Amino acid sequence: MLIKRRSSHHPTEQDVTPEAVYQDRRLILKGLGLGAATLAFPTQAGVLDLFSADKPTLGATTRPLNIHAATRPEGVIITPEEKATTHNNFYELGTDKGDPARNAHYLKPEPWQLRVEGEVAKPFTLDVWDLINKSTLEERIYRLRCVEAWSMVLPWSGISLAELIRRAEPNSRAKFVAFETLYDPEQLPGQASRSLGGGIDYPYVEGLRIDEAMNPLSFLAMGLYGKTLPAQNGAPIRLVVPWKYGFKSIKSIVSIRLVEERPPTTWNLLASNEYGFYANVNPQVDHPRWSQASERFIGEGGIFGAKRQPTLMFNGYADEVASLYQGMDLRKWY
Ligand SMILES: Nc1nc2c(c(=O)[nH]1)N[C@H]1C(S)=C(S)[C@@H](COP(=O)(O)O)O[C@H]1N2
Ligand SMILES: [Mo]
């Protein structure tokens, strides 16, 4: 990988061409000894056509949802649906931004069961489609800030995470919440081998402190743009934590477990020097390989034409969440 650097260690736009290649978390694979060559895909049956471009792409079928629509905030540009559903991170469906949409047809999100369990009085299994079909979901328009320094504004529909957790009646030992994505290499072919799935040990796992999980902003999305979630966006149910980097917002969840100890989280396991447990959006704490001070907002233009804008502390949600971190050194607890 050729990256021209200036002595300042703060690359300017011209230094990094294309920037997406520079701000690419897959570079971590080099550190794992998984160079570009091993990223070529094995040719066993079933995995053979994983990234072939001639697939009948954009395979996700979605249908309209019953929602309480949010009022569109004035002066806020919502990312076009076509961008939000074709520029994705979902490594289980491929590590290039266009792969999840191309490979969406592998994932069968219906039927879907989600377990809520662990340190609770009343563990339960949720039939996700029963909930979707019987509810009027709430719509929320949230900023999404990826750790790779691009951002979107997306209209999710769903329910607050707190609502679901409360139903299970957490006990006093419930200090953290652990989330798990489906593990099924047939539906999520990136799980079939380490190199195919970007060096990650699957299932993808994430976690929150209980007070973060119970914060009213923490959301379980079952829809996007007023329709059921496309597979590439984490169908049929995914977490959305808008003040944290996007990797916390785990997709296609099958388990929510209340636990006593801080649970392991996927990107922190892969590279703890680059990705913390908290992962709160913070323009003052740079990623070791790039600045977090600004971001490319994906609106009408493509990623390279996208307008650069300053990144906001807690992604603009400081009023709602800053109090959760009182007394914590936000440089240390990144
Ligand atoms: N299971 C799983 N969840 C995931 C990821 C992933 O690779 N696998 N990528 C994360 C990252 S890095 C981001 S930025 C968001 C992207 O969500 P979107 O594709 O719906 O915009 O999903 C997050 N959730
Ligand atoms: Mo991300």
Side-chain angles (χ1 to χ4, degrees):
M1 188 67 55
L2 254 177
I3 298 159
K4 284 183 277 171
R5 275 177 192 277
R6 280 151 43 122
S7 51
S8 72
H9 298 286
H10 286 289
T12 64
E13 204 171 311
Q14 304 90 277
D15 293 328
V16 291
T17 314
E19 185 179 44
V21 172
Y22 176 66
Q23 295 182 349
D24 187 338
R25 285 172 298 161
R26 291 173 305 172
L27 286 181
I28 198 71
L29 300 181
K30 291 179 118 186
L32 297 170
L34 299 168
T38 53
L39 280 172
F41 296 104
T43 54
Q44 312 101 303
V47 186
L48 182 64
D49 57 352
L50 176 57
F51 283 178
S52 80
D54 56 12
K55 273 276 153 204
T57 61
L58 309 189
T61 45
T62 57
R63 57 179 192 265
L65 278 173
N66 201 5
I67 60 167
H68 280 303
T71 40
R72 296 305 191 246
E74 227 174 281
V76 173
I77 297 169
I78 293 180
T79 297
E81 183 174 354
E82 174 267 333
K83 295 265 162 39
T85 56
T86 56
H87 180 279
N88 300 99
N89 278 327
F90 195 170
Y91 274 29
E92 293 92 325
L93 292 174
T95 56
D96 282 339
K97 293 291 178 280
D99 288 336
R102 269 194 293 277
N103 295 316
H105 58 95
Y106 283 97
L107 181 63
K108 305 287 176 242
E110 206 168 347
W112 197 275
Q113 312 255 293
L114 167 64
R115 277 294 287 169
V116 182
E117 56 199 339
E119 297 291 355
V120 296
K122 295 186 173 155
F124 63 92
T125 300
L126 177 73
D127 179 329
V128 172
W129 289 95
D130 192 51
L131 179 70
I132 290 173
N133 294 331
K134 287 186 182 155
S135 318
T136 301
L137 299 175
E138 181 190 351
E139 186 177 51
R140 295 194 189 178
I141 296 166
Y142 277 163
R143 284 180 285 273
L144 172 86
R145 171 57 159 85
C146 177
V147 76
E148 296 160 341
W150 53 264
S151 68
M152 296 185 181
V153 171
L154 302 172
W156 302 106
S157 9
I159 61 169
S160 73
L161 174 62
E163 190 184 324
L164 201 72
I165 290 178
R166 265 193 222 105
R167 264 194 238 171
E169 298 179 14
N171 64 38
S172 61
R173 286 182 301 277
K175 303 276 171 36
F176 293 89
V177 186
F179 303 84
E180 216 172 283
T181 294
L182 173 73
Y183 180 75
D184 181 353
E186 302 226 322
Q187 294 191 59
L188 296 171
Q191 296 174 334
S193 77
R194 262 186 118 215
S195 57
L196 211 57
I200 290 173
D201 285 319
Y202 292 103
Y204 194 103
V205 287
E206 258 306 335
L208 295 171
R209 221 170 52 193
I210 185 79
D211 57 340
E212 297 178 314
M214 301 309 279
N215 184 278
L217 286 182
S218 294
F219 201 57
L220 282 172
M222 287 162 271
L224 190 58
Y225 300 92
K227 291 173 280 186
T228 54
L229 278 181
Q232 61 268 36
N233 294 92
I237 188 164
R238 60 92 58 86
L239 182 66
V240 184
V241 196
W243 72 94
K244 294 176 178 283
Y245 290 117
F247 64 83
K248 298 293 293 180
S249 293
I250 179 174
K251 294 177 169 179
S252 305
I253 307 169
V254 293
S255 160
I256 297 179
R257 177 177 281 275
L258 285 285
V259 293
E260 196 162 8
E261 307 289 335
R262 195 177 100 175
T265 55
T266 284
W267 281 94
N268 180 252
L269 286 171
L270 194 66
S272 62
N273 58 321
E274 300 198 350
Y275 310 101
F277 172 80
Y278 285 94
N280 293 316
V281 174
N282 187 343
Q284 288 153 31
V285 178
D286 287 342
H287 185 280
R289 293 185 279 126
W290 58 81
S291 165
Q292 295 292 27
S294 67
E295 65 205 36
R296 286 184 182 278
F297 173 69
I298 302 184
E300 288 298 338
I303 177 95
F304 295 114
K307 176 169 140 273
R308 205 164 251 295
Q309 62 188 29
T311 289
L312 303 173
M313 188 65 200
F314 295 113
N315 204 23
Y317 300 98
D319 287 352
E320 289 94 330
V321 301
S323 62
L324 293 170
Y325 308 104
Q326 235 147 46
M328 282 174 70
D329 178 352
L330 295 176
R331 295 193 163 270
K332 187 167 163 249
W333 294 100
Y334 60 93

